[in-house]
Amino acid sequence: GDIPVNGGYMLLPEAVVAKAACAETDELLLLQSNAYIELLPVDEGVDTAVTPKDAKSGKKYELIVTNRSGLYRKQTGVYVLAENKPDGSVSFVYAGRKDDILYTDKLKFDTNRLLPVIDKMEKSTDCEISDYSVSEEDDGRIILYLEAVDDDNADKMSNVGSDVFSKILKENITDISMEVRFVRPQTQLLLRDRRMMDIQTVTDQMRPVRVLTH
């Protein structure tokens, strides 16, 4: 909502892995005293992992965490972007998650790119969109599913029509062809509960299900 968040921590099931460098910033400091942390360059093999001090500025990495007892070494699916500081230290900013990315035979599409587009859709149509997800259909079409915040907005979106939303989408995302469909309010809750049962975890660990075809 409109409550400002100053500072904070990045919590994963394995450990508290980072904290904000200061208030009013996205900059993260990795907490290497809580777990052994490595950084795996995105799209490279596990044998290329480096320690945080060896990270290169501007490069995206996946966090790898080994717990304090050394029982496992796990790829977390969390991406961070390294930033070298003038004093020689390295900080990081959150750069998304692996399960936010739609992989097809022809492309790799980060669904976080849709966030500013959905904001434009809301402003242009005066409709409130609570959530979204994407999928690749069997025939290769990419579908963007938009969920209204409530029944009134669902009716309003239907009256505006999917063609209007599709036009805004095409104007802002030009490198991939995508269709727009509407789903009923609270659909995301059903997707979350289904994913929660599949991976045997608790509600507090669940994030919105962005990609339906993983």
Side-chain angles (χ1 to χ4, degrees):
D2 58 357
I3 300 174
V5 177
N6 293 334
Y9 291 80
M10 179 187 286
L11 283 72
L12 299 180
E14 298 78 22
V16 181
V17 296
K19 69 175 182 178
C22 59
E24 302 292 350
T25 181
D26 294 329
E27 184 181 346
L28 296 171
L29 301 177
L30 299 183
L31 300 175
Q32 299 178 68
S33 59
N34 290 342
Y36 183 68
I37 296 176
E38 297 169 275
L39 300 170
L40 176 65
V42 175
D43 298 328
E44 296 186 22
V46 178
D47 59 347
T48 62
V50 299
T51 57
K53 68 180 179 61
D54 295 320
K56 296 181 179 179
S57 184
K59 194 162 187 175
K60 186 184 290 186
Y61 296 89
E62 180 181 358
L63 288 177
I64 296 181
V65 173
T66 303
N67 71 346
R68 291 295 297 273
S69 58
L71 294 177
Y72 59 79
R73 180 178 184 234
K74 180 181 178 183
Q75 291 181 233
T76 63
V78 174
Y79 294 150
V80 292
L81 186 68
E83 294 185 342
N84 291 109
K85 310 299 286 185
D87 63 1
S89 63
V90 181
S91 64
F92 303 86
V93 292
Y94 175 75
R97 293 181 60 96
K98 190 173 184 177
D99 58 11
D100 286 337
I101 297 175
L102 173 67
Y103 293 90
T104 74
D105 292 337
K106 299 179 180 179
L107 59 86
K108 181 177 73 173
F109 180 75
D110 188 340
T111 58
N112 288 301
R113 291 176 57 193
L114 292 166
L115 290 171
V117 181
I118 290 174
D119 184 56
K120 291 181 180 180
M121 289 178 177
E122 290 185 311
K123 292 176 180 177
S124 299
T125 63
D126 195 32
C127 296
E128 292 187 62
I129 300 170
S130 69
D131 233 314
Y132 69 94
S133 55
V134 300
S135 72
E136 181 186 24
E137 304 298 296
D138 292 338
D139 58 7
R141 289 178 300 146
I142 308 299
I143 307 295
L144 168 63
Y145 294 97
L146 298 178
E147 177 184 330
V149 71
D150 53 30
D151 289 336
D152 288 341
N153 276 275
D155 293 338
K156 188 185 296 185
M157 288 169 63
S158 295
N159 291 333
V160 172
S162 60
D163 289 345
V164 174
F165 290 87
S166 294
K167 181 180 179 182
I168 299 171
L169 179 61
K170 290 176 182 178
E171 289 173 348
N172 292 273
I173 303 290
T174 60
D175 58 331
I176 177 174
S177 178
M178 200 178 305
E179 300 178 23
V180 173
R181 294 183 185 174
F182 304 138
V183 295
R184 299 301 301 176
Q186 299 191 25
T187 297
Q188 183 64 245
L189 295 180
L190 296 175
L191 296 172
R192 184 203 66 184
D193 288 349
R194 179 177 177 180
R195 181 70 60 85
M196 184 173 66
M197 289 187 290
D198 287 344
I199 64 176
Q200 299 296 307
T201 189
V202 296
T203 305
D204 291 345
Q205 296 284 358
M206 293 304 299
R207 302 173 59 258
V209 181
R210 296 293 181 222
V211 179
L212 304 181
T213 46
H214 272 156

